[in-house]
Amino acid sequence: MTTILFAIAQFTVVLAIANIFVRCLIARSPQLATAVCLLGITLVSIIIPVTLIPFPKFTIESWPIAPFASREVQSPEIPPQPTPLDSSVSMDSSVAAGGGINLRQLFSNLPLTASLELGEQPKPASICFFAWCLLAGMGWFRLALSVNALRRLRKQSGHYHNPQLESTLAAWARQHSRNLTFRLLLTDQVPSPCVAWIDRATIYLPSGFENWPEDEQLAVLAHEAAHVFRRDARWRFFFDLMGQWVNFHPLAWLLKRQLVLVQELAADQEAGHLLTSEKYRTGLCKLALRMDSQPQLSLFSVGVSLSTHSVIRRIKMLGSVKKPQLARWQQFVVVVVVAGMGLSVAFCTAGADEPTRVALRAAKPLAKPPVLFARHTSQPWDEVGVQSGFFRVLPSAAAQKPLVKQAINEATVELGIGDLDCGVSLTRDFVSWTSNLDFKIADLPLESRNSGHRFTLSINAYKPALYFDREVDWAEVAHKLPLSNLAGLTNVEALASLLEKQGHSKTLRMNLSDSSTYDEGDFTIAKSLWPLIDGGVTAAVFSLAEVAKIDPDYEPVPSSMAVCMQALSHCSFAGVGVDFADAASPCQVRLALVPNVENSAAKIQAQVELAIASVLDSMDDASDLPEAARLSQAAWRAELEAWQVRVQVIDGPIGEVVLIEGAVSDASLIFPLM
């Protein structure tokens, strides 16, 4: 609300400056006064984005004269007050830095139904801004109606042929070096001759004009021709178009009246050059008497209108104008001064309400921008020892996603540990799972191959380290957990004994295999790659040496996977991380690929981009999919198109890696990673 009121105050200052200068220039230079009117309304239109959008604003300290204009006064230093991390009150940094407001926040308040659905009252700023836009829209709609009204006026008018008047108008056009052919149209819709912005060289004449005395005809035609030469009707339409932003402001109405008057005076001066001043003044006096006896008709934005009061005032001013006209350099100085004063109002005073604006906005809870991959960093090798690959997941954090939470709950129920007497919940208390990670690829037997699948993937994570927020009764877990039914576990009795000996504790470390092997070089690469993908809810680094076992001629289903497999076959290591801000926000995926010795990072980058393009091409034909599936695929396609692929240099023995980052809204697409 403060920003809108301050913008109105700025409009008031600029409009007041323009009105004052126009008032002073009416007598000496109506042409310059016209330019000042147009400049004033243009400056007001500039102030709207300058005030509302947080552009950097000039301050007196940034000017060269600052050391001479003010002297810095030292004040006792006040130590900053610490702000708690969980505080929901923060200051709008865009306001503090730029002096404007966030248009996204402003427009987010506009839908009044959203506030009503939440049981809140519409905010005053929203109502004021909505009313402001409504008034401006009504004004522009009125201007749109004027186009239709002028078209009807043109169709309902008849041509008026008078060779003598037409030759006079042609001579005036040649005198001004204008290649114009005037048209004279008779209509009963106007009380006096006028021109319209939609037709430049057309003069509309009232019915009975052909019976007017010749001196009156020449006087009014000279006046209207001057309007045509000066493009007054079009400039007035421009003023109306730009002025709709401030059509509620009384000073804008006054500036519009001043524009009409100075345009008429400038046209009078020009008409006095086309005719003799005495002859034109006489014709103008007769026109005033004629108009006084005719009704005034209403017409949408014809462009130039006359009234008895304005004609009499102009006749008086024509007789009183005796001051010398301003020189060109003086006119230039006036324009520069008005423009400088108007722009200074927008740029140099935008910070004047800063304390009030910040104080008002600082009391409101503002949404902080999400910071991804900024959770606690880890060093899994300290937990599971030296390995060729590592895996870490934060189950309780990942359970913020409904899909993950549902899967964990279903798994605990199936395993019989969904309701432990110790009160531990995996979706609430399971802090982290860290383990080694490597996988093996082998050929499937011929009888087991189906749907184009030829290879099998086995994942080895035999050294898990589990951490909980509260103590777990491991003896209860050993009793309820069906260890004998879990695939891949050997020596079940020893495992059950290990769990029972743990007693009550928050941690559990196990070694499910004695045949663990690792390569020192792989460990060095994994350790160097880990910080690049760490910090989210999931992180994993692993060797891709097993990918070399896949036959290069193998064509998986879908076929787009062949391009992806080719890119992976040229890499020695991979790292992947997943994170998200909250349950409603999309997941952010970060994938790092380490080229092998035969390939460069630039080549891998090109192959990855080709793989993404291949996946996008496979989504082109979605006509056979159900509506829900088409919408899901369209969303996934839009996210995949926005993925970024770049080469990044990291410390250590790796050097360059290919980093792929992008958002994924559908958590089911990356569920195995979470």
Side-chain angles (χ1 to χ4, degrees):
M1 188 68 180
T2 305
T3 303
I4 295 178
L5 293 177
F6 189 70
I8 295 175
Q10 289 178 315
F11 300 162
T12 303
V13 174
V14 174
L15 291 172
I17 292 173
N19 275 288
I20 292 172
F21 271 85
V22 171
R23 191 70 176 179
C24 296
L25 293 171
I26 284 180
R28 298 196 62 178
S29 182
Q31 296 86 350
L32 182 58
T34 303
V36 171
C37 288
L38 298 172
L39 181 60
I41 202 65
T42 304
L43 290 174
V44 167
S45 301
I46 293 175
I47 284 178
I48 294 172
V50 169
T51 302
L52 298 183
I53 298 177
F55 292 131
K57 307 299 189 297
F58 298 123
T59 58
I60 190 66
E61 289 80 5
S62 65
W63 293 3
I65 62 172
F68 308 98
S70 62
R71 183 175 59 185
E72 184 177 1
V73 179
Q74 298 292 336
S75 59
E77 184 176 354
I78 301 176
Q81 299 296 325
T83 303
L85 294 179
D86 59 348
S87 174
S88 62
V89 177
S90 62
M91 187 179 71
D92 191 345
S93 58
S94 66
V95 173
I101 65 173
N102 191 321
L103 280 184
R104 183 176 297 177
Q105 294 178 1
L106 181 62
F107 279 97
S108 66
N109 295 329
L110 287 184
L112 303 181
T113 55
S115 298
L116 296 178
E117 290 176 359
L118 297 175
E120 300 176 356
Q121 293 295 329
K123 299 180 180 179
S126 302
I127 298 175
C128 292
F129 193 81
F130 182 80
W132 186 4
C133 294
L134 182 62
L135 286 174
M138 292 173 61
W140 286 320
F141 180 71
R142 181 179 181 275
L143 290 180
L145 291 179
S146 72
V147 178
N148 187 40
L150 290 173
R151 290 183 183 277
R152 290 202 313 268
L153 175 64
R154 184 167 51 187
K155 291 181 179 180
Q156 296 174 1
S157 302
H159 287 276
Y160 173 62
H161 296 285
N162 188 317
Q164 183 178 357
L165 295 179
E166 291 174 353
S167 63
T168 302
L169 290 171
W172 289 342
R174 290 192 299 269
Q175 182 178 341
H176 283 76
S177 302
R178 302 293 177 87
N179 187 19
L180 294 175
T181 302
F182 284 91
R183 289 193 309 163
L184 302 178
L185 299 180
L186 282 173
T187 177
D188 57 357
Q189 300 295 318
V190 295
S192 62
C194 61
V195 295
W197 59 268
I198 201 171
D199 297 307
R200 181 183 176 186
T202 300
I203 300 177
Y204 292 92
L205 305 173
S207 299
F209 176 81
E210 64 276 10
N211 300 323
W212 289 15
E214 182 181 357
D215 55 348
E216 287 189 50
Q217 291 181 341
L218 291 176
V220 296
L221 289 181
H223 179 86
E224 302 308 325
H227 280 307
V228 172
F229 296 148
R230 290 172 39 80
R231 299 181 176 88
D232 284 337
R234 294 189 176 183
W235 282 120
R236 193 176 303 182
F237 177 75
F238 171 81
F239 185 98
D240 289 336
L241 191 65
M242 303 295 288
Q244 297 308 319
W245 284 111
V246 288
N247 57 7
F248 61 89
H249 206 295
L251 288 180
W253 305 341
L254 178 60
L255 190 62
K256 172 66 179 295
R257 292 188 60 183
Q258 301 249 54
L259 174 66
V260 173
L261 178 60
V262 295
Q263 282 187 335
E264 297 299 326
L265 289 175
D268 288 337
Q269 289 187 358
E270 185 66 30
H273 296 311
L274 298 176
L275 299 173
T276 61
S277 299
E278 189 64 29
K279 188 175 182 180
Y280 175 70
R281 195 181 307 163
T282 302
L284 204 59
C285 292
K286 293 182 179 181
L287 178 62
L289 296 176
R290 182 182 299 276
M291 290 181 56
D292 194 31
S293 60
Q294 293 181 354
Q296 299 297 313
L297 301 178
S298 175
L299 190 63
F300 284 110
S301 292
V302 171
V304 174
S305 59
L306 295 175
S307 66
T308 305
H309 175 72
S310 64
V311 172
I312 296 175
R313 183 179 180 184
R314 285 158 43 202
I315 294 172
K316 293 180 179 179
M317 295 190 69
L318 281 175
S320 61
V321 174
K322 298 180 180 179
K323 298 180 180 180
Q325 297 293 312
L326 295 178
R328 287 186 177 274
W329 70 268
Q330 292 175 320
Q331 298 180 17
F332 176 78
V333 169
V334 170
V335 172
V336 171
V337 169
V338 174
M341 293 178 66
L343 291 177
S344 66
V345 170
F347 286 102
C348 298
T349 66
D353 69 330
E354 206 62 37
T356 303
R357 195 184 308 182
V358 170
L360 289 175
R361 293 173 66 87
K364 301 178 182 179
L366 300 176
K368 298 180 180 179
V371 180
L372 300 177
F373 294 98
R375 304 174 191 266
H376 297 294
T377 58
S378 61
Q379 295 181 343
W381 45 89
D382 292 340
E383 305 295 333
V384 299
V386 178
Q387 300 292 330
S388 297
F390 301 98
F391 171 75
R392 179 173 179 263
V393 62
L394 309 178
S396 59
Q400 295 181 34
K401 290 290 185 182
L403 179 65
V404 178
K405 184 175 182 179
Q406 179 183 357
I408 294 177
N409 289 332
E410 292 176 354
T412 56
V413 172
E414 291 178 2
L415 294 174
I417 57 175
D419 186 17
L420 294 174
D421 294 337
C422 58
V424 172
S425 170
L426 296 187
T427 58
R428 184 189 66 235
D429 305 317
F430 197 174
V431 178
S432 69
W433 175 331
T434 305
S435 70
N436 68 308
L437 178 65
D438 62 77
F439 61 89
K440 303 294 182 181
I441 293 179
D443 281 292
L444 282 170
L446 292 176
E447 61 274 10
S448 300
R449 299 179 183 180
N450 52 43
S451 302
H453 296 290
R454 176 178 168 183
F455 298 92
T456 179
L457 175 68
S458 60
I459 300 176
N460 301 318
Y462 42 77
K463 295 191 68 174
L466 287 63
Y467 296 88
F468 289 81
D469 259 343
R470 59 192 302 172
E471 290 187 347
V472 182
D473 185 355
W474 294 109
E476 181 187 1
V477 173
H479 176 71
K480 293 185 175 181
L481 192 66
L483 298 176
S484 59
N485 296 334
L486 297 180
L489 291 181
T490 60
N491 200 356
V492 175
E493 293 80 5
L495 179 58
S497 177
L498 174 64
L499 290 176
E500 291 177 354
K501 290 180 180 179
Q502 288 287 323
H504 291 75
S505 66
K506 295 182 179 181
T507 63
L508 176 65
R509 300 176 187 273
M510 295 183 292
N511 188 353
L512 304 179
S513 175
D514 295 330
S515 60
S516 61
T517 59
Y518 62 89
D519 182 88
E520 188 69 30
D522 287 349
F523 168 67
T524 303
I525 294 177
K527 187 176 180 180
S528 300
L529 189 61
W530 183 262
L532 190 61
I533 50 86
D534 190 24
V537 296
T538 303
V541 292
F542 47 89
S543 172
L544 293 175
E546 290 288 311
V547 179
K549 296 181 180 180
I550 299 178
D551 188 351
D553 297 329
Y554 170 59
E555 296 183 359
V557 178
S559 59
S560 58
M561 289 299 297
V563 186
C564 301
M565 297 295 292
Q566 182 181 9
L568 293 177
S569 66
H570 295 159
C571 300
S572 62
F573 239 85
V576 60
V578 178
D579 198 14
F580 54 83
D582 50 53
S585 62
C587 295
Q588 190 74 16
V589 178
R590 182 179 291 177
L591 176 62
L593 299 177
V594 181
N596 56 26
V597 293
E598 292 85 9
N599 295 275
S600 64
K603 181 179 178 180
I604 301 300
Q605 180 184 12
Q607 291 179 342
V608 170
E609 291 174 345
L610 178 61
I612 293 176
S614 177
V615 175
L616 291 174
D617 290 341
S618 66
M619 300 180 184
D620 287 341
D621 188 11
S623 57
D624 297 336
L625 298 177
E627 180 68 19
R630 283 203 305 270
L631 294 176
S632 178
Q633 179 170 302
W636 166 230
R637 179 186 181 90
E639 290 172 341
L640 190 58
E641 288 176 342
W643 279 29
Q644 300 294 322
V645 182
R646 69 178 188 274
V647 176
Q648 182 166 330
V649 179
I650 63 175
D651 297 333
I654 299 177
E656 291 184 340
V657 300
V658 177
L659 189 62
I660 309 160
E661 292 182 293
V664 179
S665 296
D666 188 356
S668 63
L669 296 174
I670 55 174
F671 176 71
L673 299 175
M674 304 172 65

